[in-house]
Structure formats: structure tokens, C-alpha cells
């Protein structure tokens, strides 16, 4: 196996904000990138955004902004989110960048030189949701067969790529490289699709302006999938004067994508590369879907889970852990807050948290924090050796959920060992039991050291904190340190702090319900979606004046406000507006408040009402009356 490891995520559309599905792909790619770095490989990890095409042009028009403005706004959110999630990408490519467009021009130049390009007329159906062309025979009830989006009829001049000429070469590539598409079921699906025959592919559009100008014919823009797929090489400098990175890292070792976009990656992309005379990626892995209520979570279905609350409440590592552990890599899974918090309590607080806090506090108490040598064999050493072997094999085989499973087997062994050896009893037995006590704690600590290395790709923050508490030096973990070390520790523990405070499941679910709550429709509501004037009148809207404002402790988004609603005493409200407003700017401002909303607690702070704000891409803009109206004035 070579020592470079180039891994990519799909580049995400900028028509909306990221949700759990996008986070999943990026987190899994990050886990693999961190694992391979730990194993000493020269890793390059790429992610980015797909900014052209009809979908983005329309989303921008609907918001009344230029496409690039929408892209800039959403890209800023992606950057912030990836930072919050500790995503360790080496590069972030945007298809609106010049370096990318140079790569697109170069691949088209090569495709043209190979004789695979011709001009014709595209007549047929187009799905803007998938940015894909479909023959009439494939439509289902007049909608796209993949995601059920609406389709539209196109008839326009277009450049075509001779995809049909690549059927045999693609089939040969699949046969010669049985691991190039994973999991196996996806490989079979792709084979069957290509065996069914390939039509030439339209790779330019004239009825669209927002795209890369087609080289040699600027009336056309490049089809967004040819544009987007090229990111994997343009980011390495393909098409520019300096292609050092391209020489070093291409072909990619792994394109990680959701199964929804497998055809583009396993059929079109290798065919484009073959035509351009470039090496093909080693592997494309199509992971499953996060579902909500039995439907794929997707922007267009409006059933997405956003990560904000979980991240705010738990930080990034528990979410990374949940995503990696809950979904068997390759299969679908259902996202549930309940499963999240249960895993948090059982795997993290009880299992990992307990093993660490018990061992560390006993070592502080009985041995003044100095780390003794472990037993060279016995149940924990054996479990650790077995875990190291299994973990490495599973990570190499793209089974991170299994790798984690093996780490938890080691934790079970550590907890069982402590229970059995009862160091607290040994500590009562005086000097004679000291050597045994030292060995027991040394063994548990060594087990935890191994755990701290193994969890680092999945929970980098927790691994660092656990490492510091175990008295391990700074620096990135290496799989070289993945051995059961038997020498005397000769190190001191760092200060202890709980890693995972337990969470009350019921209280948490209530809290989630509040943050997600929408007013439910009254029984007499007409079923055409309208409401009566009486129903509207039941919402008491009032003008308020902010008299006090402060950030809710430990929350990035929430601000606690005291608002004068003309009631004598000001009211306490909590608003998720800190992203845009500083507490100091709010005092003295007039706001509009839903005054008769049932009180709710947000991050433990009571909120008696709700401040109204317009939201644009998740950013709040407070509403205010047009004039200095007195607090308490009604809004109708
Ligand atoms: O398709 N479950 O971008 P996109 C799991 N721009 N993963 C999900 C998911 C879900 N419910 N929803 C989305 C595009 N994903 C193109 C890609 S690449 C050259 C161009 C993940 O913003 C999954 O990885 O629609 C999927 O492939 C990707 O987000 C699609 O993101």
C-alpha cells in the first residue's frame, strides 16, 4: 500500500445550509483522514462547495440576491461548522474559484482532443433538484426516478460527451477492480446500470448563465456535474502551472459520497477521466442515508435535522461519535434524539466516562497521581491487544463502526477488571496490598491510554482531554503508540475533570421539543393551510423595549433579555440571536414579542415569550416597529 492517502467528500450545494446528512459524510471522511494520518500516511483531505447550476441560480433568485452572494453566505456557514466539528481538511475548494475553472477548461480541452465531444441538440427532461437529465422512459409519474423531484422539458443546443463509447471500458474497469465501488451492493447496482447501455451525455447548457463558460463557446456554460466532479483534481492544481500536488496525490484513494450520487461518481467521472487520459480513483464508497420518519432526510423534503442544538448542548465529539457508531457504514439509519442521548449516556458517560473517572480519581487518591507500571498480561492487556488488531483491520476495511465497537470491548474489559480487582478494597489493606494496588491501577491506566489513542480520530477533543488527564504529552497520536507498554509509567497524571456529565433523558427530550416546537394547528383550522382572523387574534403580539441583555452562559446562540412589555415588571425572554447581535447592542431597542406563548426553558433559562425575527439562511434579523411606540402597544 502506497503511503499517500487522498480522500474527498462531495462538494456541497450552496442552495441551503448544511444538515446532519452533509455532516455525516464530512465527519466520516475526517475520521478516516485522521486515522490514516495516525497510521503515518501522507494524507490529503479535500472538501468544498458546488456553487454553479440551475438549482443555485434559482435559489439565489428566490432570495433576491446574486448567486455568488448566496454562495458566500452559505460557504461562511460551512467554514464555521467545519471548524466547530474539528474537521481537519487540508483544502476547501469552491467551484466559483478561478483555480477550479482552469481545471474544468483543461479537462474539456482533453476530452475534445480525444474526439469525445460533439455539438448537437438536447431534447428531453431535466431535473434541477438532481441537476440530471432523464429519458422519458425513466420518469416515474412525471417526476425524476431518483428523488421524485419535478422535471422540466428542455430543448436547446448542447455539447455532448461520447459516454456511449465508454460502456465496455467502464465494465472492464469494474471487473478488473472489484473493490473500486463499495459496498458490494452498490458495485452490483452500478454494473447493472452500465450493462443496460449508456447514452451520450449533454455537458453544456445555454439556458443558464451561472456556470463555467464552455471553452471555445461562451454562449454555453459547462454542465454542473462535469464542473463539480472536476473539483477533485482542480484542487490539486490540475490545469494550472503548478501541478505538484496533482502529481503527488492523484489518483484519489477514496471518494466518499452518499449513495444518491453514485452514478455520477462511478460512471460519468471515470469516463471523463478515461477520455482525458488520467488515472482513475482507487475507490468510491457510497454510504447510506440518514432517514427521518422513514424518508431520506433532504432539503427538498423539508425533514432535515440541523446540528445546532446538539452541538451547542454537547460540543462536537458526542455528535461525531453518534454518527460514526450508530450507522453501519454503507447502510441507512434513522436519526433520533432519543437514540443520541441514550448512546451518550450509556457509551460515553457510563462506559468511557466512568472507566476514566474511577481510575483517575483512585490514582490521585491512593498514589498521589503517579502512574505505575501495568501488568504485562492478563485480561486487560489481552483485550487491548485484540482491540488494537481488530480496530486497525476494521479501519482499513472501511468499517469504522466496527472499529469503535472493538474499542468499547476494551472499555468493558477495563470496567470489569476494576470491578473484579476492587482497588478501593486493596487500598484499605495497607502496605502489603500496595504492589497489587499499583499494578491494578497501572493496568487500568494503560488500557485507558490505548483507548485515548484509538478514539482520537473519532473524538479528537475528548482524546486530547483524556490524554492530558492521563499525563500524556501533547502531540498527535500515532499508531506506533498502539502497543501495550509495560515499562514503569514514570509520569504524573494531569488534573481530572469529568469528560461526559450525565444527561437526564426526559429533560433533554423536552428541551429539544421546545427548540423545535412549532405552534400546532388548532382543531378548527381549515385544511387548506389558511387560518381564521380569530385564530390569528389568539396570538398576542406586543411591542417591547429591551432593558437588559446578556449571553446565556455556555451557549453560543442564546441571549437572555429582560423586556419591558408595559406590564410593570419586565419579562425574561431567551432568544437565539447571538450570532448576529451582541448583548450590548440590544439594550434600548424595540422588539416585537409573542406575549402569550407558553413559558419554556432554554439551556435551563426560563423564557416567557418569543422575540420575532426574520431569518435569512438561519441568520436572525429582529423585527421592530417603524417609530418610537410605547412598550406594551399591541401589534395586529
Ligand atoms: O449532491 N444522509 O451536493 P449535496 C446521508 N453538489 N448523507 C446525506 C444526506 C442524508 N440524508 N443528505 C445529504 C451534491 N447527504 C453535489 C455533489 S460532488 C462532485 C457534487 C450527503 O449538497 C451525501 O454525502 O446535495 C450526499 O452525497 C451529499 O450530502 C449531497 O450533498
Amino acid at each position: 500500500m502506497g503511503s499517500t492517502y487522498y480522500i474527498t467528500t462531495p462538494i456541497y450545494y450552496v442552495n441551503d445550509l448544511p444538515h446532519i446528512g452533509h455532516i455525516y459524510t464530512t465527519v466520516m471522511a475526517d475520521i478516516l483522514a485522521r486515522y490514516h494520518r495516525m497510521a503515518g500516511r501522507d494524507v490529503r483531505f479535500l472538501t468544498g462547495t458546488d456553487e454553479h447550476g440551475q438549482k443555485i441560480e434559482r435559489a439565489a433568485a428566490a432570495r433576491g440576491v446574486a448567486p455568488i452572494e448566496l454562495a458566500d453566505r452559505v460557504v461562511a456557514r460551512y467554514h464555521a461548522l467545519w471548524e466547530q466539528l474539528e474537521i481537519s481538511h487540508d483544502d476547501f475548494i469552491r467551484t466559483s474559484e478561478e483555480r477550479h475553472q482552469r481545471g474544468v477548461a483543461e479537462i474539456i480541452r482533453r476530452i475534445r482532443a480525444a474526439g469525445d465531444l460533439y455539438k448537437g441538440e438536447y431534447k428531453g427532461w431535466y431535473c434541477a433538484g438532481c441537476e440530471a437529465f432523464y429519458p422519458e422512459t425513466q420518469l416515474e409519474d412525471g417526476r425524476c426516478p431518483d428523488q421524485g423531484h419535478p422535471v422540466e422539458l428542455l430543448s436547446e443546443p448542447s455539447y455532448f460527451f461520447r459516454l456511449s463509447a465508454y460502456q465496455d471500458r467502464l465494465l472492464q474497469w469494474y471487473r478488473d477492480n472489484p473493490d473500486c465501488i463499495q459496498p458490494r451492493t452498490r458495485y452490483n447496482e452500478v454494473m447493472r446500470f452500465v450493462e443496460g447501455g449508456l447514452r451520450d451525455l449533454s455537458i453544456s447548457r445555454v439556458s443558464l448563465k451561472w456556470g463555467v463558460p464552455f471553452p471555445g463557446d461562451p454562449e454555453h456554460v459547462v454542465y454542473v456535474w462535469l464542473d463539480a466532479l472536476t473539483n477533485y483534481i482542480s484542487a490539486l492544481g490540475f490545469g494550472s502551472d503548478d501541478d505538484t500536488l496533482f502529481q503527488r496525490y492523484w489518483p484519489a484513494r477514496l471518494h466518499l459520497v452518499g449513495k444518491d450520487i453514485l452514478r455520477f461518481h462511478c460512471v460519468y467521472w471515470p469516463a471523463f477521466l478515461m477520455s482525458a487520459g488520467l488515472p482513475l480513483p482507487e475507490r468510491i464508497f457510497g454510504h447510506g442515508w440518514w432517514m427521518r420518519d422513514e424518508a431520506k432526510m433532504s432539503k427538498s423534503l423539508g425533514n432535515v435535522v440541523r446540528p445546532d442544538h446538539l452541538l451547542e448542548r454537547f460540543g462536537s465529539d458526542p455528535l461525531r461519535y453518534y454518527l460514526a457508531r450508530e450507522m453501519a457504514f454503507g447502510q441507512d439509519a434513522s436519526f433520533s434524539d432519543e437514540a443520541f442521548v441514550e448512546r451518550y449516556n450509556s457509551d460515553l458517560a457510563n462506559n468511557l466516562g466512568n472507566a476514566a473517572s474511577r481510575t483517575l480519581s483512585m490514582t490521585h487518591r491512593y498514589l498521589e497521581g503517579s502512574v505505575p507500571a501495568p501488568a504485562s498480561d492478563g485480561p486487560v492487556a489481552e483485550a487491548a491487544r485484540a482491540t488494537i488488531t481488530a480496530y486497525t483491520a476494521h479501519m482499513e476495511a472501511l468499517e469504522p463502526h466496527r472499529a469503535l465497537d472493538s474499542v468499547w470491548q476494551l472499555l468493558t474489559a477495563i470496567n470489569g477488571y476494576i470491578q473484579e480487582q476492587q482497588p478501593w478494597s486493596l487500598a484499605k489493606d495497607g502496605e502489603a496490598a500496595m504492589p497489587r494496588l499499583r499494578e491494578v491501577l497501572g493496568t487500568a491506566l494503560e488500557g485507558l491510554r490505548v483507548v485515548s489513542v484509538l478514539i482520537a480520530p473519532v473524538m479528537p477533543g475528548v482524546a486530547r482531554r483524556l490524554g492530558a488527564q492521563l499525563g500524556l504529552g501533547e502531540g498527535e497520536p500515532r499508531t506506533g503508540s498502539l502497543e501495550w507498554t509495560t515499562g514503569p509509567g514514570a509520569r504524573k497524571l494531569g488534573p481530572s475533570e469529568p469528560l461526559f456529565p450525565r444527561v437526564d433523558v426526559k429533560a433533554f427530550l423536552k428541551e429539544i421539543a421546545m427548540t423545535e416546537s412549532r405552534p400546532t394547528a388548532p382543531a378548527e383550522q381549515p385544511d387548506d393551510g389558511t387560518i381564521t382572523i380569530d385564530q390569528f387574534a389568539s396570538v398576542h403580539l406586543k411591542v417591547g423595549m429591551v432593558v437588559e441583555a446578556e449571553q446565556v452562559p455556555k451557549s453560543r446562540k442564546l441571549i437572555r433579555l429582560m423586556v419591558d412589555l408595559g406590564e410593570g415588571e419586565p419579562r425574561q425572554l431567551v432568544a437565539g440571536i447571538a450570532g448576529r447581535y451582541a448583548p450590548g447592542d440590544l439594550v434600548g431597542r424595540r422588539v416585537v414579542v409573542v406575549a402569550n406563548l407558553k413559558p419554556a426553558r432554554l439551556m435551563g433559562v426560563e423564557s416567557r415569550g418569543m422575540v420575532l425575527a426574520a431569518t435569512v439562511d438561519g441568520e436572525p434579523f429582529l423585527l421592530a416597529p417603524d417609530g418610537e411606540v410605547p412598550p406594551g402597544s399591541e401589534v395586529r
Side-chain angles (χ1 to χ4, degrees):
M1 190 177 300
S3 69
T4 58
Y5 195 89
Y6 180 37
I7 177 170
T8 66
T9 72
I11 48 171
Y12 301 105
Y13 286 128
V14 289
N15 60 326
D16 201 357
L17 300 174
H19 60 67
I20 289 286
H22 310 111
I23 289 183
Y24 177 70
T25 316
T26 314
V27 162
M28 296 315 290
D30 187 58
I31 290 172
L32 293 169
R34 285 175 182 270
Y35 164 76
H36 286 285
R37 278 190 207 111
M38 189 162 100
R41 300 193 179 109
D42 173 9
V43 170
R44 186 144 188 105
F45 170 19
L46 174 71
T47 188
T49 42
D50 188 354
E51 304 186 5
H52 293 134
Q54 193 150 327
K55 188 158 138 143
I56 311 302
E57 193 176 73
R58 287 186 182 163
R63 288 167 174 79
V65 295
I68 192 69
E69 267 177 72
L70 174 64
D72 286 348
R73 226 187 263 163
V74 175
V75 165
R77 296 294 290 259
Y78 268 100
H79 279 303
L81 186 60
W82 294 161
E83 191 178 325
Q84 204 176 359
L85 279 159
E86 289 205 50
I87 302 301
S88 64
H89 51 289
D90 299 289
D91 195 1
F92 186 106
I93 181 115
R94 300 181 56 174
T95 54
S96 56
E97 286 175 271
E98 208 193 315
R99 60 171 176 154
H100 171 69
Q101 308 200 7
R102 276 198 297 268
V104 175
E106 176 59 15
I107 199 165
I108 291 177
R109 191 190 67 71
R110 288 177 178 232
I111 289 173
R112 182 179 268 139
D116 287 331
L117 196 69
Y118 64 91
K119 201 167 179 182
E121 175 89 6
Y122 179 77
K123 274 207 192 78
W125 297 93
Y126 191 74
C127 168
C130 302
E131 297 281 15
F133 302 90
Y134 293 101
E136 180 134 357
T137 50
Q138 277 182 18
L139 300 185
E140 285 174 11
D141 296 332
R143 290 177 164 258
C144 92
D146 289 330
Q147 313 246 5
H149 295 133
V151 290
E152 55 208 280
L153 198 56
L154 290 186
S155 176
E156 59 181 49
S158 175
Y159 286 93
F160 283 83
F161 170 68
R162 251 181 250 287
L163 182 63
S164 57
Y166 285 88
Q167 181 178 5
D168 292 341
R169 271 177 276 181
L170 284 168
L171 289 172
Q172 196 56 47
W173 179 58
Y174 306 144
R175 281 191 210 105
D176 292 346
N177 299 277
D179 289 334
C180 66
I181 301 167
Q182 285 189 343
R184 191 67 191 177
T185 46
R186 307 265 171 266
Y187 173 90
N188 294 334
E189 278 166 26
V190 172
M191 273 286 245
R192 249 174 279 132
F193 176 81
V194 176
E195 279 164 357
L198 294 173
R199 294 161 178 255
D200 288 351
L201 180 69
S202 163
I203 53 162
S204 77
R205 298 281 311 274
V206 283
S207 54
L208 180 76
K209 293 283 158 279
W210 181 233
V212 180
F214 202 85
D217 196 344
E219 283 292 292
H220 293 241
V221 297
V222 176
Y223 170 45
V224 64
W225 270 102
L226 170 54
D227 168 353
L229 287 160
T230 307
N231 90 88
Y232 299 131
I233 52 177
S234 66
L236 294 176
F238 173 78
S240 82
D241 296 339
D242 181 2
D243 69 349
T244 329
L245 289 174
F246 181 72
Q247 296 303 338
R248 176 152 146 202
Y249 291 108
W250 190 255
R253 298 290 291 277
L254 182 64
H255 289 317
L256 184 60
V257 298
K259 65 180 180 183
D260 49 334
I261 55 174
L262 218 61
R263 182 166 26 110
F264 303 97
H265 284 82
C266 301
V267 182
Y268 300 172
W269 179 227
F272 295 148
L273 289 167
M274 284 175 184
S275 172
L278 296 169
L280 307 190
E282 185 175 308
R283 185 159 304 156
I284 299 143
F285 188 98
H287 68 65
W289 284 342
W290 282 99
M291 317 280 281
R292 186 85 171 180
D293 308 326
E294 319 221 326
K296 181 198 172 203
M297 199 185 288
S298 82
K299 293 171 203 167
S300 32
L301 290 178
N303 62 346
V304 299
V305 177
R306 307 266 177 210
D308 310 52
H309 187 74
L310 293 178
L311 284 173
E312 181 155 303
R313 181 75 168 66
F314 294 90
S316 90
D317 281 351
L319 180 58
R320 290 173 61 109
Y321 173 77
Y322 171 79
L323 292 175
R325 185 79 191 268
E326 187 76 9
M327 185 185 260
F329 204 38
Q331 289 167 29
D332 292 345
S334 216
F335 189 92
S336 116
D337 297 309
E338 209 159 350
F340 173 86
V341 72
E342 271 161 14
R343 263 210 187 282
Y344 173 88
N345 275 338
S346 71
D347 297 8
L348 299 181
N350 282 358
N351 232 323
L352 173 54
N354 248 347
S357 73
R358 292 210 268 178
T359 312
L360 291 163
S361 70
M362 285 190 284
T363 313
H364 280 292
R365 198 169 332 131
Y366 306 139
L367 306 176
E368 284 158 2
S370 64
V371 180
S376 53
D377 38 35
V380 179
E382 268 164 40
R385 288 183 186 119
T387 288
I388 291 166
T389 311
Y391 173 96
T392 311
H394 288 313
M395 280 297 203
E396 298 289 338
L398 291 176
E399 297 171 329
H401 60 289
R402 292 223 161 95
L404 280 175
D405 203 58
S406 70
V407 178
W408 260 254
Q409 285 173 23
L410 171 55
L411 280 166
T412 304
I414 298 172
N415 277 322
Y417 176 76
I418 296 173
Q419 210 51 39
E420 195 186 290
Q421 299 297 326
Q422 307 209 340
W424 52 90
S425 303
L426 293 172
K428 288 192 201 124
D429 292 349
E431 267 314 300
M434 260 326 251
R436 184 74 200 130
L437 175 63
R438 293 173 62 78
E439 187 177 272
V440 169
L441 289 178
T443 301
L445 287 169
E446 175 60 9
L448 286 169
R449 187 192 66 78
V450 172
V451 168
S452 78
V453 178
L454 296 177
I455 60 171
V458 180
M459 294 191 282
V462 170
R464 274 194 307 272
R465 279 158 58 210
L466 178 58
Q469 295 184 38
L470 288 167
L472 301 168
E474 297 273 307
E476 292 299 315
R478 286 263 171 261
T479 33
S481 55
L482 270 183
E483 265 168 25
W484 186 259
T485 39
T486 51
R491 57 172 212 269
K492 276 271 199 201
L493 296 183
S496 290
E497 41 138 357
L499 290 170
F500 305 103
R502 256 190 88 81
V503 168
D504 182 291
V505 179
K506 272 202 186 137
F508 170 73
L509 292 177
K510 238 181 169 171
E511 191 182 305
I512 285 273
M514 306 269 202
T515 58
E516 287 179 356
S517 70
R518 304 270 173 281
T520 43
E524 70 273 24
Q525 180 174 324
D527 58 12
D528 61 358
T530 59
I531 57 167
T532 64
I533 185 79
D534 292 344
Q535 287 167 347
F536 175 67
S538 67
V539 181
H540 296 171
L541 296 172
K542 286 189 178 177
V543 172
M545 162 92 83
V546 179
V547 292
E548 215 179 290
E550 65 162 22
Q551 186 91 22
V552 171
K554 294 202 187 131
S555 168
R556 289 180 352 109
K557 271 201 357 213
L558 300 180
I559 293 186
R560 186 184 70 83
L561 302 168
M562 294 303 283
V563 179
D564 177 2
L565 286 174
E567 300 170 324
E569 289 282 292
R571 280 228 219 161
Q572 176 167 294
L573 308 176
V574 178
I577 54 173
R580 222 185 113 73
Y581 298 94
D585 302 339
L586 292 166
V587 176
R589 228 180 215 276
R590 283 178 174 74
V591 288
V592 180
V593 171
V594 181
N596 62 337
L597 198 66
K598 222 173 167 173
R601 294 189 85 78
L602 297 167
M603 298 278 292
V605 183
E606 182 172 57
S607 182
R608 294 173 50 230
M610 185 171 90
V611 177
L612 295 188
T615 50
V616 181
D617 295 329
E619 240 191 284
F621 292 76
L622 285 172
L623 294 193
D626 178 21
E628 300 193 348
V629 297
S633 306
E634 284 196 24
V635 178
R636 294 157 190 257

